[in-house]
Amino acid sequence: DSGVTQTPKHLITATGQRVTLRCSPRSGDLSVYWYQQSLDQGLQFLIQYYNGEERAKGNILERFSAQQFPDLHSELNLSSLELGDSALYFCASSVEVRGYEQYFGPGTRLTVT
Amino acid sequence: GQQVMQIPQYQHVQEGEDFTTYCNSSTTLSNIQWYKQRPGGHPVFLIQLVKSGEVKKQKRLTFQFGEAKKNSSLHITATQTTDVGTYFCAGRGDTGNQFYFGTGTSLTVIP
């Protein structure tokens, strides 16, 4: 158990819909990362927050957005869902913004039908 | 953009054989991390290398960071069935906070 929690564990929804994935980092970690993992793409970095502020942006689509709240939990919002958005979405947390190991949550498996 | 490639993509070995995965970046990295993901699980941090030419060992695992800080390798001696999983390298560029994950090497160990 990494100490990072993600909800829900599974999510099945239809194309065009909007979903919100939630992540609670390890106690004391200020940095949260979001990743997308699909079979043919490996682990794709989406976005990073540190203490409520966006710090790095990766291959995140405009239909996707995220935020980190004052209590440090983070939410990833996915809208206008397409079949290709079906993937495993991981949240990870670390102590600082740079140079520290990331602790991954169990992931949310999103299936878009 | 920055790319981190890993080879091989898949590796099947007999239990007891050695295994190596290689990680290559298109640009210089400030540091590199290695993660292991068991089937159905999430990535778990193994180690971080920072210095040019650095070598670190964890029991049967040996990690190396290249002199030019553009490549890295993970070597497992005498594989065991518990080593099964996908091994990812993740490199951070000289600037910025983003980690670029490699494509991963899936290891199967045949008993």
Side-chain angles (χ1 to χ4, degrees):
Chain A
D1 183 9
S2 65
V4 178
T5 60
Q6 287 187 250
T7 56
K9 194 170 184 178
H10 300 279
L11 199 48
I12 302 174
T13 189
T15 54
Q17 295 299 305
R18 172 190 170 96
V19 297
T20 297
L21 312 183
R22 183 188 167 103
C23 167
S24 292
R26 285 191 326 156
S27 177
D29 284 359
L30 299 178
S31 196
V32 169
Y33 307 76
W34 285 98
Y35 293 90
Q36 179 191 59
Q37 185 174 44
S38 51
L39 283 174
D40 58 346
Q41 294 287 328
L43 267 170
Q44 297 291 317
F45 169 74
L46 297 178
I47 199 163
Q48 178 199 7
Y49 282 84
Y50 177 77
N51 204 18
E53 292 187 6
E54 182 184 306
R55 283 304 184 99
K57 212 166 191 176
N59 301 320
I60 187 166
L61 300 172
E62 285 190 11
R63 300 183 285 108
F64 296 0
S65 65
Q67 58 184 130
Q68 186 180 27
F69 295 86
D71 67 352
L72 301 178
H73 92 271
S74 178
E75 292 181 357
L76 178 67
N77 300 297
L78 315 175
S79 61
S80 302
L81 285 167
E82 301 174 359
L83 295 177
D85 297 327
S86 296
L88 198 51
Y89 291 84
F90 285 109
C91 163
S93 72
S94 67
V95 172
E96 289 286 349
V97 65
R98 286 180 62 94
Y100 285 81
E101 61 264 35
Q102 298 175 45
Y103 293 86
F104 281 76
T108 292
R109 180 166 295 282
L110 173 67
T111 302
V112 182
T113 62
Chain B
Q2 181 147 16
Q3 288 188 329
V4 179
M5 303 299 294
Q6 271 183 264
I7 53 170
Q9 188 175 1
Y10 301 96
Q11 184 80 59
H12 290 69
V13 300
Q14 289 288 141
E15 189 173 15
E17 290 182 339
D18 292 358
F19 158 78
T20 304
T21 173
Y22 300 91
C23 178
N24 295 291
S25 169
S26 56
T27 59
T28 302
L29 302 171
S30 62
N31 58 23
I32 195 155
Q33 297 178 348
W34 284 91
Y35 291 80
K36 176 184 178 181
Q37 185 176 18
R38 292 181 186 274
H42 57 272
V44 174
F45 174 81
L46 295 177
I47 208 159
Q48 175 168 276
L49 305 170
V50 179
K51 299 176 184 175
S52 168
E54 188 171 12
V55 178
K56 286 189 177 181
K57 292 190 177 185
Q58 287 180 351
K59 297 183 181 177
R60 295 178 295 105
L61 278 61
T62 302
F63 303 84
Q64 191 164 2
F65 201 7
E67 294 290 341
K69 300 184 78 171
K70 293 180 73 173
N71 56 71
S72 181
S73 65
L74 158 59
H75 179 81
I76 302 178
T77 304
T79 54
Q80 300 175 357
T81 54
T82 53
D83 295 326
V84 165
T86 300
Y87 292 84
F88 291 97
C89 63
R92 188 191 297 278
D94 281 341
T95 59
N97 300 322
Q98 182 175 343
F99 262 102
Y100 295 89
F101 272 78
T103 44
T105 295
S106 175
L107 173 64
T108 299
V109 179
I110 304 163

